Amino acid sequence: MEIKARRRTIPVKIGGVTLGGDAPIVVQSMTNTDTADVESTVTQVAALARAGSELVRITVDRPESAAVVPEIVERLNELGTDVPLIGDFHYNGHTLLAEYPDCAAALAKYRINPGNVGFKDKRDKQFSQIIDIALQHDKPVRIGVNWGSLDQDLLTRLMDENSASSDPKDAREVMHEAIVQSAIISAERAMELGMGADKIVLSAKVSAVQDLIAVYAMLASRSNLALHLGLTEAGMGSKGIVASSAALSVLLQQGIGDTIRISLTPEPDGDRSVEVTVAQELLQSMGFRAFVPLVAACPGCGRTTSTTFQSLAHDIQDFIRDQMPDWKRRYPGVETLNVAVMGCIVNGPGESKHADIGISLPGTGESPAAPVFIDGKKVTTLKGPGASAAFKQMVLDYIEQRYGQAAIGRSAAE
């Protein structure tokens, strides 16, 4: 299936990051630390940024959290981490932003949930207060609807109208409509208050794949504002990864989406940056962006009872991810590198030829020799227990030769 052209949305500047328009699709993540704990929050934000998160959202839920946001930003700057921070506000955001103006100034964007920004007659007043503060500080906002906290007054009204209709829709369709209307009505209200369309990002998160696809298709058809994609409450492990990838890939294929987050439930004491890795791999697998060199490896079968190729592929992939923050600076373009680590003679030589550099390790019963291919040509055959280490060194040498020289050439030209 052909990928549709990206939907042209109004670009939004968030700190040093642009999303929408012609900008690449942006990867976002969120901390799960207590924001008031400066040390743990700084550590996690820095780790997420190092993993490749281009925007990071933090919870600002109480005075203790709001008070330390400027310190968090300062500490991150001292570490050389300039990732824009987004403040996540619910219920009391209008109060926190007003009482802690340094927090309002330090954040790069505010996230507002129209379902709980205020209730009844307070809703418009408190929403307006946040928009006014955003205007004062020249900050963009994300109007983030979530079906778990949907505006119940709006939903009830639409349900009642549907019940009175001569041709009522399914209740799920009415909920989809309520989610989309909540986002659009809130955006229109923000613009009435003086906020430009280039300061607004919309999101409409649900936790079921088909619902998410339907809601964002509706939203994209009715608005040209920038869109943030994410399947909320996606779940743990493979379930969360598969569900998020299934939903987001369909939307991205349709040209919908300017920034994405993979919302995974972490394992206890697990690595939060996994969600960043999954988001990057999704975008890279679909051909939208390149973040890290790709390592192609066969799945293994009865011909590959040895685990050598598995260990080598794993080692190289981990090594590449660990080195990428430094390599981005030293070797511009290295993210486009393709490495192949194959396990037998069936597809090994062919796959290795298609890669920039590849090795075809011997399968069960094959001659204990591993041909290495560079740029489609066989350059050597490795043998013996040192073959894996020798291939790793060849990968490093290839990177230095191909990308290091390019960097030197660019520097000389400048």
Side-chain angles (χ1 to χ4, degrees):
M1 182 186 295
E2 184 178 350
I3 296 175
K4 292 184 179 179
R6 278 278 300 285
R7 170 177 162 269
R8 288 302 299 270
T9 55
I10 298 170
V12 179
K13 192 84 169 178
I14 304 170
V17 175
T18 300
L19 59 90
D22 294 324
I25 299 167
V26 173
V27 172
Q28 181 173 319
S29 61
M30 184 177 183
T31 59
N32 62 350
T33 60
D34 177 0
T35 303
D37 182 344
V38 174
E39 190 64 37
S40 62
T41 301
V42 168
T43 298
Q44 191 172 85
V45 171
L48 290 169
R50 181 175 174 81
S53 185
E54 294 156 304
L55 298 171
V56 177
R57 183 158 50 114
I58 61 174
T59 298
V60 186
D61 58 345
R62 63 193 198 279
E64 293 82 359
S65 300
V68 299
V69 168
E71 183 182 351
I72 290 170
V73 173
E74 183 179 354
R75 291 276 302 279
L76 288 168
N77 287 337
E78 290 172 355
L79 293 173
T81 302
D82 60 354
V83 62
L85 291 187
I86 301 163
D88 192 55
F89 295 98
H90 299 273
Y91 306 108
N92 60 352
H94 60 293
T95 300
L96 294 175
L97 286 167
E99 293 182 354
Y100 295 90
D102 289 345
C103 168
L107 292 168
K109 184 175 75 170
Y110 313 150
R111 186 277 176 113
I112 313 170
N113 184 338
N116 58 33
V117 70
F119 301 100
K120 302 296 181 180
D121 58 331
K122 294 182 179 179
R123 178 182 295 112
D124 186 62
K125 177 183 177 182
Q126 293 173 184
F127 178 84
S128 298
Q129 287 176 321
I130 296 178
I131 297 299
D132 286 342
I133 293 170
L135 290 170
Q136 291 170 25
H137 292 280
D138 194 28
K139 304 293 183 179
V141 299
R142 170 156 72 95
I143 296 172
V145 181
N146 190 303
W147 76 345
S149 52
L150 185 59
D151 181 342
Q152 291 303 300
D153 291 341
L154 174 61
L155 179 59
T156 298
R157 177 173 62 79
L158 291 179
M159 286 290 188
D160 289 344
E161 290 176 359
N162 185 62
S163 297
S165 171
S166 60
D167 184 22
K169 299 177 181 178
D170 179 84
R172 210 167 194 85
E173 292 181 75
V174 179
M175 177 170 281
H176 293 171
E177 179 65 26
I179 293 169
V180 172
Q181 282 199 28
S182 179
I184 291 177
I185 290 170
S186 298
E188 290 174 345
R189 178 57 182 149
M191 287 188 275
E192 288 172 2
L193 293 166
M195 178 157 282
D198 63 342
K199 295 289 186 182
I200 301 174
V201 180
L202 298 182
S203 67
K205 293 188 176 183
V206 301
S207 58
V209 171
Q210 294 297 341
D211 289 313
L212 192 85
I213 294 169
V215 165
Y216 271 97
M218 292 169 64
L219 193 56
S221 70
R222 299 188 198 180
S223 171
N224 63 348
L225 295 173
L227 294 182
H228 168 76
L229 303 186
L231 188 75
T232 191
E233 284 86 47
M236 298 179 66
S238 60
K239 186 269 180 187
I241 292 172
V242 170
S244 291
S245 299
L248 270 58
S249 62
V250 171
L251 292 167
L252 293 169
Q253 187 84 9
Q254 295 175 359
I256 298 171
D258 301 295
T259 176
I260 68 170
R261 181 192 171 203
I262 304 295
S263 300
L264 298 179
T265 303
E267 301 290 342
D269 300 318
D271 184 358
R272 189 69 167 178
S273 64
V274 169
E275 67 176 50
V276 179
T277 301
V278 174
Q280 289 183 329
E281 290 180 349
L282 173 61
L283 292 175
Q284 187 153 351
S285 295
M286 294 191 70
F288 291 111
R289 293 189 65 180
F291 296 97
V292 297
L294 291 176
V295 180
C298 67
C301 66
R303 293 175 176 271
T304 56
T305 52
S306 168
T307 61
T308 301
F309 84 95
Q310 299 165 358
S311 298
L312 180 57
H314 189 275
D315 287 350
I316 288 179
Q317 186 161 280
D318 285 351
F319 179 70
I320 285 172
R321 280 211 167 268
D322 288 342
Q323 295 299 313
M324 272 308 293
D326 179 53
W327 285 358
K328 283 181 181 179
R329 177 179 56 83
R330 295 175 57 197
Y331 304 118
V334 71
E335 64 274 7
T336 63
L337 176 70
N338 288 300
V339 181
V341 180
M342 305 303 293
C344 79
I345 199 171
V346 174
N347 294 316
E351 286 283 357
S352 297
K353 288 179 183 178
H354 289 307
D356 295 313
I357 179 169
I359 186 171
S360 180
L361 294 164
T364 304
E366 294 178 18
S367 174
V372 176
F373 299 82
I374 293 179
D375 295 331
K377 298 179 180 179
K378 181 180 175 181
V379 295
T380 189
T381 298
L382 300 178
K383 299 180 180 181
S388 294
F391 181 67
K392 289 180 187 177
Q393 186 59 51
M394 291 182 72
V395 171
L396 290 175
D397 292 343
Y398 182 85
I399 290 172
E400 177 64 41
Q401 180 180 12
R402 177 172 174 179
Y403 300 101
Q405 292 301 317
I408 292 171
R410 277 190 289 272
S411 297
E414 292 172 357

